[in-house]
């Protein structure tokens, strides 16, 4: 059994058809009210005209005299004489001049003294006349021998002011409403014009509605809002949408948190004070980039939004890579330590082979001397001056490995004479990430500089459970650039001298997580390069008293 599918009009069509029906109803009501007022006005105008003519005729001296004379006589009026009399002549003249349906004059008994139909003179009028003979004027629509008419009745008074007859003037209905057809035509044209204007407004509004909503219906809008809320608030990525005019239209909580925004929706994107890398990504100058915003390393991906060939704006996807890069830094530290252990293993194996050879050759004294020297110098001779000042095995191995890497680039790594650390490193990952970043930046700065010899100096100090390190180099210094600016931007692939990229701010973020800090002591100059310092709270475990005494 097939089911018939009912196709409902689109919501915009339904709404605007309701609007059109409302306008049509209002126009119909206004037309009806205006027509009723016009008809009432024509009726009142006819009644007023009839009353004015009747009053004028009732005040005519000849009419008053003739009517008073006839009313005072004891005999009935002579109809034959009245048909050719002055009253009939006066009444017919007034009727002809005013286009009245009739002008009737009666005596005090209601007998017609003048009438448009002469044969009816001498007869009693067909409508009531008692009220008029009591001295009152009567204006009304009545039906008489000549049909329905708007008529006015005015008493005729004698010289003493006593009513002795009446003057009745009437206008037929068709004559009263002669002006109604043209008036109806004007009202009809006006109503049709209003309806036509409403239809035009309906079409324009429907087109505008469909354009603004992109053809999406209210039911679909509800689902769209639900999906948008679920998507925007259900992901950790930041989503920020900018329309074609550069106004922010959508920004979820993650985007606000990562970019440090406060109610950005409805504001121009260019006025949000974001780093240049973010602006360039949205404007299309960069397809993908990274930026530093308040010590966060953000990955940015901008994608245009197009619907039915119409560009609606751009959507910026924001991902926080801070933890990922921090993990990368720590993995780099592990790689460095692994390389150092590999070097130690290789060097130690070689020395053990030498010792074994001396023993096999029965050169015991030489083997004993060689092993004593090995114990005194350590398993590996790292090319780092002052490395023996570091009693912590982790720092000894880590900076030794860094010294090997620096030596490969022509830079000498040395430990400052004021280095003093009592205790051991308790947070090797954070220490390696921060100290390794500072040393790597310093080595790069020394290589980029013009001074010779190239060197990097590291000082390590203990302050309770905090580790304080300073790193200086022989480079050209910062040159007026502040690498710790909270809104500095850079590309993730361009980690340049002294952390102008993302490494140094990330190191500062790691230091701050433990309650420490990273700062610039000296921006550098002609004598030496920049000097950086970092403090990591809780990074040192103090030695026990017994260990202090033995040391």
């Amino acid at each position: 059994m097939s089911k018939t599918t009912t196709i409902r009009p689109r919501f915009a069509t339904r709404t605007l058809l309701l609007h059109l029906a409302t306008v049509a109803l209002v126009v119909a009501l206004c037309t009806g009210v205006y027509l009723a007022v016009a008809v009432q006005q024509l009726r009142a105008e006819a009644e007023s005209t009839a009353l004015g003519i009747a009053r004028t005729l009732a005040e005519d001296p000849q009419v008053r005299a003739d009517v008073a004379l006839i009313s005072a006589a004891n005999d009935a009026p002579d109809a034959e004489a009245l048909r050719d009399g002055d009253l009939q002549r006066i009444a017919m003249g007034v009727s002809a001049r005013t286009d009245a349906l009739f002008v009737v004059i009666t005596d005090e008994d209601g007998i017609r003294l003048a009438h448009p139909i002469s044969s009816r003179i001498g007869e009693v009028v067909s409508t009531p006349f008692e009220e008029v003979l009591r001295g009152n004027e009567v204006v009304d629509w009545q039906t008489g021998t000549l049909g329905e008419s708007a008529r006015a009745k005015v008493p005729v008074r004698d010289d003493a002011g006593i009513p002795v007859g009446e003057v009745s003037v009437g206008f037929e209905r068709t004559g009263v409403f002669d002006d109604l057809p043209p008036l109806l035509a004007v009202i009809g044209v006006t109503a049709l014009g209003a309806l036509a204007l409403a239809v035009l407004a309906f079409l324009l509004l429907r087109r505008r509605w469909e354009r603004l909503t992109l053809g999406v219906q209210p039911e679909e809008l509800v689902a769209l809002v639900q999906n948008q809320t679920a998507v925007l608030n259900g992901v950790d990525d930041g989503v920020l949408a900018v329309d074609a005019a550069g106004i922010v239209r959508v920004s979820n909580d993650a985007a606000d948190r990562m970019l440090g925004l406060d109610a950005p929706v409805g504001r121009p994107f260019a006025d949000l004070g974001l780093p240049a890398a973010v602006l360039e990504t949205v404007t299309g100058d960069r397809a993908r980039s990274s930026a530093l915003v308040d010590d966060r390393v953000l990955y940015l991906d901008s994608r245009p939004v197009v619907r039915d060939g119409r560009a609606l704006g751009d959507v910026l996807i924001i991902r926080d890579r801070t933890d990922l890069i921090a993990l990368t830094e720590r993995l780099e530290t592990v790689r460095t330590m692994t390389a150092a252990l590999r070097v130690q293993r290789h060097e130690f194996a070689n020395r053990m082979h030498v010792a074994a050879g001396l023993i096999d050759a029965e050169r015991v004294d030489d083997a004993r001397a060689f092993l004593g020297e090995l114990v005194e110098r350590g398993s590996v001779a790292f090319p780092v001056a002052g490395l023996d000042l570091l009693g912590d095995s982790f720092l000894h191995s880590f900076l030794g490995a860094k010294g090997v890497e620096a030596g490969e680039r022509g830079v000498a790594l040395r430990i400052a004479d004021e280095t003093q650390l009592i205790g051991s490193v308790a947070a090797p990952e954070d220490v390696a990430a921060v100290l390794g970043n500072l040393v790597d930046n310093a080595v790069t700065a020394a290589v980029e500089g013009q001074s010779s010899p190239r060197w990097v100096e590291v000082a390590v100090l203990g302050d309770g459970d905090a580790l304080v390190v300073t790193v200086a180099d022989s480079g050209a210094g910062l040159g007026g650039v502040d690498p710790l600016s909270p809104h500095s931007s850079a590309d993730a692939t361009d980690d340049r001298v002294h952390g102008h990229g993302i490494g140094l701010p990330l190191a500062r973020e790691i230091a701050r997580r433990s309650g420490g800090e990273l700062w610039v002591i000296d921006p550098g100059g002609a004598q030496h390069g920049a000097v950086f310092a970092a403090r990591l709270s809780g990074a040192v475990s103090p030695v026990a008293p017994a260990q202090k005494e033995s040391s």
Side-chain angles (χ1 to χ4, degrees):
M1 181 177 179
S2 62
K3 294 183 179 180
T4 58
T5 302
T6 302
I7 301 177
R8 297 182 61 191
R10 300 176 70 84
F11 178 78
T13 303
R14 300 198 305 269
T15 302
L16 295 178
L17 282 176
L18 179 61
H19 156 75
L20 184 61
T22 303
V23 171
L25 179 61
V26 171
V27 170
L29 289 176
C30 292
T31 301
V33 171
Y34 186 74
L35 183 61
V37 171
V39 170
Q40 184 65 30
Q41 184 176 0
L42 290 175
R43 289 170 60 97
E45 183 178 351
E47 293 171 356
S48 176
T49 302
L51 180 61
I53 295 171
R55 284 174 177 174
T56 302
L57 189 57
E59 294 295 331
D60 184 89
Q62 186 173 356
V63 172
R64 292 177 64 186
D66 291 349
V67 171
L69 179 63
I70 293 172
S71 296
N74 294 325
D75 298 330
D78 186 357
E80 291 295 333
L82 290 174
R83 291 187 181 97
D84 298 325
D86 292 336
L87 293 178
Q88 177 70 0
R89 178 180 55 79
I90 293 173
M92 294 303 293
V94 172
S95 177
R97 291 193 301 271
T98 60
D99 292 329
L101 175 63
F102 62 84
V103 175
V104 176
I105 304 175
T106 69
D107 62 5
E108 61 183 0
D109 296 322
I111 298 175
R112 298 185 180 99
L113 306 179
H115 194 275
I117 301 175
S118 58
S119 62
R120 294 188 179 277
I121 296 176
E123 299 177 357
V124 179
V125 296
S126 59
T127 56
F129 59 89
E130 294 80 4
E131 184 69 23
V132 179
L133 293 178
R134 285 197 289 268
N136 300 321
E137 295 178 345
V138 176
V139 179
D140 197 3
W141 285 75
Q142 296 178 347
T143 301
T145 57
L146 297 179
E148 185 181 12
S149 60
R151 60 187 65 191
K153 299 177 181 180
V154 177
V156 178
R157 303 176 186 274
D158 58 11
D159 294 338
I162 299 174
V164 293
E166 74 168 1
V167 174
S168 178
V169 179
F171 289 90
E172 62 179 335
R173 174 180 288 276
T174 57
V176 171
F177 297 114
D178 284 343
D179 295 334
L180 192 58
L183 184 61
L184 288 175
V186 173
I187 294 175
V189 170
T190 304
L192 291 177
L195 289 176
L197 185 61
V199 171
L200 179 61
F202 157 73
L203 295 176
L204 293 177
L205 285 174
R206 183 181 183 277
R207 181 179 178 183
R208 178 64 175 170
W209 190 314
E210 295 286 348
R211 183 177 178 85
L212 288 176
T213 61
L214 303 176
V216 180
Q217 299 304 297
E219 299 82 2
E220 300 171 341
L221 286 175
V222 172
L224 184 63
V225 171
Q226 292 174 343
N227 294 337
Q228 178 187 16
T229 303
V231 170
L232 294 182
N233 297 329
V235 297
D236 293 331
D237 294 344
V239 179
L240 189 143
V242 182
D243 64 11
I247 306 299
V248 178
R249 295 304 179 187
V250 176
S251 181
N252 64 352
D253 295 339
D256 294 345
R257 183 182 68 255
M258 294 179 192
L259 297 177
L261 303 178
D262 182 17
V265 177
R267 296 166 56 189
F269 183 75
D271 296 342
L272 298 180
L274 296 174
V278 182
L279 299 178
E280 292 171 0
T281 303
V282 173
T283 56
D285 294 341
R286 295 187 185 184
R288 297 179 179 180
S289 67
S290 293
L292 288 167
V293 179
D294 294 334
D295 297 326
R296 290 182 177 272
V297 182
L298 305 180
Y299 173 78
L300 310 174
D301 184 8
S302 178
R303 300 179 184 179
V305 179
V306 180
R307 182 183 177 92
D308 297 331
R310 175 187 171 193
L312 303 179
D314 297 274
V315 173
L316 182 65
I317 307 299
I318 308 162
R319 298 183 177 92
D320 192 345
R321 298 179 60 190
T322 305
D323 295 336
L324 178 61
I325 294 180
L327 180 59
T328 303
E329 292 284 344
R330 290 172 178 173
L331 290 177
E332 181 64 21
T333 300
V334 173
R335 187 195 64 81
T336 301
M337 294 298 297
T338 303
L341 291 174
R342 186 179 298 111
V343 171
Q344 287 183 343
R345 176 187 175 280
H346 180 72
E347 185 69 17
F348 186 75
N350 289 338
R351 294 185 179 186
M352 289 299 98
H353 288 154
V354 172
L358 292 175
I359 293 174
D360 291 340
E362 297 182 354
R363 296 171 57 182
V364 178
D365 294 336
D366 292 337
R368 184 179 293 109
F370 178 76
L371 292 176
E373 181 182 356
L374 181 60
V375 172
E376 181 179 353
R377 293 175 51 191
S379 58
V380 179
F382 290 112
V384 179
L387 188 60
D388 295 337
L389 296 174
L390 294 172
D392 180 77
S393 58
F394 169 77
L395 289 177
H396 189 281
S397 300
F398 180 73
L399 289 177
K402 287 294 183 183
V404 173
E405 293 181 352
E408 293 175 354
R409 302 181 63 183
V411 179
L413 179 64
R414 66 191 185 203
I415 307 301
D417 295 336
E418 60 269 21
T419 294
Q420 183 179 13
L421 176 63
I422 301 176
S424 59
V425 173
E429 293 181 352
D430 290 346
V431 172
V434 175
L435 182 57
N437 192 277
L438 293 178
V439 172
D440 289 342
N441 291 339
V443 171
T444 302
V447 172
E448 296 288 337
Q450 302 299 322
S451 300
S452 182
R454 298 183 178 93
W455 54 266
V456 172
E457 184 177 83
V458 178
V460 180
L461 302 171
D463 183 12
D465 65 345
L467 179 69
V468 181
V469 297
T470 63
V471 180
D473 60 68
S474 61
L478 298 179
V481 178
D482 183 7
L484 298 178
S485 175
H487 288 285
S488 61
S489 62
D491 195 319
T493 62
D494 187 16
D495 195 359
R496 294 167 292 183
V497 177
H498 284 303
H500 293 179
I502 61 176
L504 194 57
L506 180 60
R508 182 175 63 172
E509 177 66 18
I510 294 174
R512 286 180 172 179
R513 288 179 183 177
S514 64
E517 185 57 272
L518 188 150
W519 67 96
V520 178
I521 296 178
D522 188 345
Q527 301 299 324
H528 58 79
V531 180
F532 286 83
R535 177 186 177 91
L536 288 85
S537 300
V540 176
S541 296
V543 297
Q547 292 178 324
K548 288 184 180 181
E549 293 176 359
S550 61
S551 61

